[in-house]
Amino acid sequence: MCGIFGYIGHQQALPILVEGLRRLEYRGYDSTGVAVDDGQSIQTHKTVGKVADLKAILPPSVQGTLGIAHTRWATHGGVTQVNTHPHASEAGTVHLVHNGIIENYQQLRKGLLKRGIECVSETDSEVLAHMIALEIESGSTPLESVQKTLRRLRGTWGLCILFKEHDLLVCARNGSPLIIGQGEGETFVSSDPHPLTTHTQRVVYLEDGDVALIKRDSFSITSIRGHAVEPSITVLEEAWGEAELGDAPHYMYKEIYEQPDALRQCIAGRVDREMGTGRLGGMGLDHATLVQAPHVRLLGCGTAAYAAEIGQTLIERMGRIPAVAHISSEFRNNDTVINPKAIYLAVSQSGETADTISAIKEIQLKGGQVFGVVNVVGSTIARLCGQGVYIHSGPEQSVASTKAFTNMVAALTIFATQLGRTRHLSKDDGRELIHHLQQAPHLMETYFEDTGPIGEAVDLLCDAQSVLFLGRGLSATVAKEGALKLMELAYIPCLAYPAGEMKHGPIALLEEGSPVVVVAPNDHLKEKTMSALHEVKARGAKVILIHEKGDSIAAEGDVSIAVPSIHPWLTPLLTVLPLQLMAYETALRLGRDVDRPRNLAKSVTVE
Ligand code: GLU
């Protein structure tokens, strides 16, 4: 969540910091601030609101080639000016920005009070500035003072720290991502690779427990205990630098329509049409593991959890072994039994989802092997797992996930096919599936040529008190993803239910005119889904029906939206598209901030 950007170099720092913040905006935040060192003093500017609001209050020129900047997503203390980062020590010796949560901050705060130091903000972060300053006053170097302070903390941190009268930055990571970018005579720090790509491709991802001392043309890394750490340089993928909006009205719009190309990227080189199977090289799974695995568990949060749920269904169907999708935050707390022979898949767009990271660590501790299904190359989950599959969506900047969802589904479909072919899936069935998967990008394009009466659906949705989404089998999960999208973007309460379960509860909500979205592709469950459709219509509900083109059920919807026909196991790749567009268009109609919906963050790096 939130973001950090830091700079030390030969250029004026302020414009670089503000641009860095702008490129971090997609992660979601509520307030923002910057501190620049001009060699004599450190000037701080902060505000509640957007980076544009910060720009508006900045003086015309702020000199200085060293500075730190932050977008805050409040965890401790309200969204106020005084809680906004950077935070400073009493005498202004130390200024810092922090991502994460300091769990023992109250105890540390009491310790400071005893020494006569009172925090001015309500945040957990501010204690760190005072503690580090106390270490400086007692003669420690900046690096030592940070190391000593960190040894007393419990919690998570991404930290970037400025010291008055010291021409350097100190950074540290524990549980919140931080990346150092090395340019020519300048060094950058960012919580996200995306803003670095315009400056340099050469980066180092800090690991948990790392502390970095950063100068203009060099940096060194140590552990919290002061032991030297050898940095490992990564070269960033160029595509991450090209994620500009272009002519598109919003990132979400751009990303919805990028799905055919993104899907091609995901599939390319990973399927064997002749053998009717998948080839996920990065998984490094040998035949024996695939054949002997007793079950598969999948982990994810939000949209990734729904992709995992679709993966679960496909793995069971093709692999004929039990598969279960878990919400990461629940999984890690429930002391789930870990069988080291099982296959564990961790699904995350950002690769930084804190709950999923904790779940992975728990599985690894108990001897389980976890494979990442991740978009961001080099992200924490990718590195923690060391094996897995990159979904290759390219940068996804809208908070609401679209192209990452379809690519997660595609990657899991390829995995299920590979698993299935080592077991019970016949060559012919595998071939047919792979053939359809390869057609899917083109079928997405066909749908985008005529998206159907989305506007009419929006007419029904935009005044609704609540919306019910229904489907069966794979489409029950698509219904959940559609409900999540509409709720996130339009702030309308949405409920998704397997269609068969509707009569056991949610039917009570229906009254004359209630909108109900029914996802009913032409699979073996369609007839049963249609029974639920008739039950809701009998109560006066208005049905928005997602169906396959040419299907006579089109006549049953009050608004009917057709998607091209595809293999019944691949329908989520197409039926989700109108749901994404409906959420996008409804949010626009209601005047919502489509790319940065309130209270949400793109990569959820706190538990
Ligand atoms: N816990 C800190 C605060 O509430 C940092 C939150 C963040 O990661 O932005 O200020």
Side-chain angles (χ1 to χ4, degrees):
M1 314 189 107
C2 48
I4 286 177
F5 204 82
Y7 177 75
I8 176 166
H10 49 78
Q11 305 184 60
Q12 289 303 322
L14 190 68
I16 293 175
L17 294 171
V18 172
E19 176 60 10
L21 289 181
R22 194 191 63 76
R23 293 174 70 105
L24 288 168
E25 277 196 296
Y26 76 100
R27 296 170 65 109
Y29 66 105
D30 43 53
S31 47
T32 176
V34 63
V36 175
D37 185 345
D38 66 8
Q40 255 113 48
S41 64
I42 297 174
Q43 272 197 48
T44 300
H45 303 276
K46 39 178 146 173
T47 184
V48 167
K50 302 286 184 201
V51 174
D53 302 314
L54 178 66
K55 270 189 183 166
I57 61 158
L58 289 173
S61 130
V62 176
Q63 296 298 310
T65 55
L66 169 59
I68 56 177
H70 193 250
T71 50
R72 176 176 187 239
W73 189 85
T75 65
H76 290 61
V79 180
T80 62
Q81 167 96 4
V82 73
N83 288 340
T84 304
H85 301 215
H87 292 290
S89 60
E90 279 187 331
T93 341
V94 173
H95 286 67
L96 61 79
V97 290
H98 166 230
N99 286 351
I101 293 172
I102 306 302
E103 288 165 8
N104 57 338
Y105 81 104
Q106 274 173 323
Q107 185 197 338
L108 297 168
R109 212 177 238 254
K110 280 184 201 146
L112 288 169
L113 251 185
K114 281 195 195 134
R115 301 182 69 160
I117 299 170
E118 210 169 328
C119 289
V120 293
S121 77
E122 301 160 303
T123 65
D124 50 337
S125 314
E126 189 191 335
V127 291
L128 303 180
H130 300 297
M131 288 168 69
I132 295 168
L134 285 174
E135 298 293 349
I136 294 271
E137 280 163 28
S138 56
S140 297
T141 64
L143 180 63
E144 288 161 356
S145 55
V146 173
Q147 288 165 337
K148 284 181 186 167
T149 303
L150 296 182
R151 284 182 222 147
R152 297 174 56 198
L153 305 185
R154 274 203 325 272
T156 54
W157 54 85
L159 276 168
C160 193
I161 310 158
L162 261 183
F163 299 82
K164 195 169 165 202
E165 291 163 11
H166 288 273
D167 196 26
L168 50 83
L169 289 169
V170 176
C171 295
R173 168 192 165 131
N174 191 51
S176 283
L178 216 52
I179 304 154
I180 300 171
Q182 182 70 74
E184 294 294 324
E186 53 187 353
T187 312
F188 307 82
V189 180
S190 177
S191 51
D192 185 317
H194 176 58
L196 291 175
T197 47
T198 46
H199 301 292
T200 178
Q201 305 291 123
R202 284 166 56 80
V203 304
V204 170
Y205 287 84
L206 292 186
E207 300 292 346
D208 285 353
D210 283 355
V211 188
L213 177 65
I214 298 181
K215 304 210 170 142
R216 272 162 225 286
D217 45 20
S218 67
F219 62 87
S220 57
I221 305 177
T222 57
S223 69
I224 292 176
R225 299 245 156 242
H227 304 300
V229 172
E230 191 57 42
S232 114
I233 306 267
T234 303
V235 178
L236 288 176
E237 279 193 1
E238 260 173 61
W240 287 89
E242 294 160 8
E244 295 302 341
L245 194 51
D247 294 334
H250 300 96
Y251 280 108
M252 185 176 178
Y253 180 92
K254 176 172 178 269
E255 289 159 10
I256 288 173
Y257 283 92
E258 279 173 353
Q259 284 175 106
D261 280 340
L263 188 54
R264 284 188 184 101
Q265 289 287 336
C266 180
I267 300 171
R270 289 170 160 176
V271 290
D272 181 337
R273 196 160 159 190
E274 182 52 34
M275 295 305 288
T277 187
R279 261 198 322 232
L280 294 173
M283 302 277 285
L285 274 167
D286 55 47
H287 186 262
T289 310
L290 285 170
V291 172
Q292 286 161 17
H295 59 256
V296 180
R297 289 188 192 270
L298 304 98
L299 301 159
C301 301
T303 287
Y306 296 144
E309 202 171 284
I310 289 172
Q312 161 193 315
T313 309
L314 293 177
I315 288 164
E316 285 221 355
R317 271 197 207 163
M318 293 193 228
R320 308 308 306 154
I321 57 168
V324 186
H326 299 265
I327 301 284
S328 305
S329 55
E330 287 297 307
F331 182 89
R332 69 186 206 83
N333 291 326
N334 287 347
D335 207 12
T336 312
V337 175
I338 303 300
N339 182 335
K341 290 205 173 118
I343 295 172
Y344 298 87
L345 300 172
V347 189
S348 166
Q349 189 285 129
S350 67
E352 303 294 348
T353 315
D355 286 316
T356 304
I357 291 171
S358 298
I360 294 169
K361 288 181 178 165
E362 179 70 17
I363 297 167
Q364 290 178 334
L365 199 73
K366 293 177 176 167
Q369 253 199 313
V370 192
F371 300 86
V373 181
V374 167
N375 192 30
V376 179
V377 175
S379 56
T380 304
I381 293 179
R383 287 176 297 122
L384 196 59
C385 295
Q387 54 203 352
V389 43
Y390 283 120
I391 62 169
H392 290 316
S393 298
E396 188 180 71
Q397 300 220 47
S398 166
V399 165
S401 185
T402 51
K403 61 179 181 168
F405 173 76
T406 37
N407 274 22
M408 285 168 184
V409 169
L412 291 169
T413 305
I414 297 172
F415 171 73
T417 317
Q418 191 171 342
L419 184 70
R421 288 288 289 118
T422 61
R423 292 165 168 255
H424 304 275
L425 191 70
S426 73
K427 195 186 212 177
D428 283 350
D429 287 348
R431 272 184 179 162
E432 192 191 349
L433 188 86
I434 297 295
H435 170 72
H436 279 257
L437 183 62
Q438 289 183 313
Q439 298 297 311
H442 171 66
L443 295 175
M444 283 176 161
E445 282 163 348
T446 308
Y447 170 68
F448 286 138
E449 279 163 20
D450 175 12
T451 55
I454 298 287
E456 286 174 39
V458 174
D459 293 342
L460 291 177
L461 295 171
C462 64
D463 295 326
Q465 298 296 308
S466 67
V467 183
L468 179 60
F469 286 71
L470 301 174
R472 274 180 191 261
L474 291 166
S475 299
T477 310
V478 175
K480 289 185 195 172
E481 171 60 8
L484 177 67
K485 224 68 325 161
L486 184 62
M487 178 178 67
E488 285 180 313
L489 294 178
Y491 317 147
I492 298 171
C494 294
L495 202 58
Y497 258 78
E501 192 65 6
M502 190 261 310
K503 55 193 175 294
H504 297 286
I507 197 165
L509 292 177
L510 299 180
E511 49 192 39
E512 199 62 37
S514 305
V516 177
V517 179
V518 179
V519 185
N522 200 8
D523 57 19
H524 67 296
L525 299 167
K526 185 183 75 175
E527 295 304 323
K528 286 193 185 303
T529 305
M530 293 311 286
S531 305
L533 179 145
H534 290 123
E535 287 157 15
V536 302
K537 278 185 86 167
R539 271 102 195 149
K542 294 275 185 220
V543 171
I544 299 167
L545 176 64
I546 313 298
H547 64 90
E548 282 185 18
K549 207 173 176 78
D551 194 327
S552 60
I553 63 168
E556 309 277 1
D558 294 282
V559 176
S560 293
I561 300 173
V563 296
S565 292
I566 195 166
H567 190 291
W569 292 350
L570 300 175
T571 54
L573 295 173
L574 294 172
T575 51
V576 78
L577 305 179
L579 303 187
Q580 294 169 344
L581 285 172
M582 272 160 42
Y584 171 78
E585 295 288 350
T586 307
L588 275 188
R589 182 91 66 91
L590 294 171
R592 311 294 194 219
D593 186 341
V594 176
D595 283 336
R596 287 188 286 279
R598 71 183 179 204
N599 301 337
L600 290 170
K602 181 67 181 163
S603 82
V604 185
T605 55
V606 293
E607 292 178 345

